[in-house]
């Protein structure tokens, strides 16, 4: 088994900023000209997530609206009482969505659906620079 590690940075605005990182992931993977592998995409941080969605205008509104109902930004969070940083909601949202996804590479192509993109969602209450790790195992 061989492991290749790649990484790239993403600048965000925070506040449920949804960023399509599919092309950056593809670049990290395809630059190695591999045929078959497991590609794991991970972001470090407790207020940020990686997931797969259809990156289209309707869902870019629907997903934040649904998350606002689930973990409202103006809600009362024990985290905020402890740390006084006002981002308790961002920790809850990130823990529900998760911080990674895995996509198989088969015959040289990432196996994403026709309307499926890999996205980073930054829930924090400020702009951030996030590091995304792409681990390729073959």
């Amino acid at each position: 088994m061989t492991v290749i590690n790649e990484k790239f940075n993403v600048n965000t605005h925070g506040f449920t900023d949804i960023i399509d990182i599919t092309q950056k992931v593809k670049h990290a993977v395809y630059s190695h000209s591999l045929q078959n592998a497991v590609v794991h995409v991970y972001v470090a941080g407790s207020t940020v997530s990686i997931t797969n969605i259809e990156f289209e205008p309707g869902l870019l509104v629907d997903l934040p609206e649904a998350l606002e109902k689930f973990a409202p930004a103006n809600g009362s969070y024990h985290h905020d009482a402890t740390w006084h940083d006002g981002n308790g909601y961002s920790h809850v949202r990130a823990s529900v969505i998760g911080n990674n996804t895995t996509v198989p590479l088969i015959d040289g192509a990432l196996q994403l659906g026709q309307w499926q993109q890999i996205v980073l969602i930054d829930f924090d209450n400020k702009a951030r620079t996030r590091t995304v790790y792409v681990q390729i195992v073959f």
Side-chain angles (χ1 to χ4, degrees), residues 101-134:
T101 192
T102 301
V103 181
L105 179 74
I106 300 174
D107 296 329
L110 285 171
Q111 298 302 297
L112 293 168
Q114 181 177 359
W115 307 112
Q116 184 179 27
Q117 288 81 39
I118 303 168
V119 297
L120 179 145
I121 309 173
D122 193 334
F123 298 110
D124 213 345
N125 57 2
K126 60 184 173 187
R128 303 285 299 262
T129 298
R130 302 296 192 164
T131 302
V132 177
Y133 298 90
V134 179

Side-chain angles (χ1 to χ4, degrees), residues 47-95:
T47 58
V48 62
S49 291
I50 296 281
T51 192
N52 304 358
I53 66 168
E54 181 178 345
F55 191 78
E56 58 86 19
L59 279 174
L60 296 179
V61 174
D62 292 339
L63 184 57
E65 284 181 354
L67 290 167
E68 183 62 25
K69 292 174 186 173
F70 174 76
N74 64 355
S76 176
Y77 297 92
H78 298 286
H79 170 83
D80 295 338
T82 301
W83 296 102
H84 308 289
D85 54 4
N87 69 351
Y89 72 96
S90 63
H91 288 277
V92 172
R93 292 177 185 187
S95 67

Side-chain angles (χ1 to χ4, degrees), residues 15-35:
F15 301 96
T16 313
D17 190 10
I18 304 172
I19 301 168
D20 183 356
I21 61 169
T22 308
Q23 293 307 314
K24 289 184 177 195
V25 172
K26 284 182 175 181
H27 176 74
V29 173
Y30 294 163
S31 67
H32 297 285
S33 300
L34 299 171
Q35 287 300 299

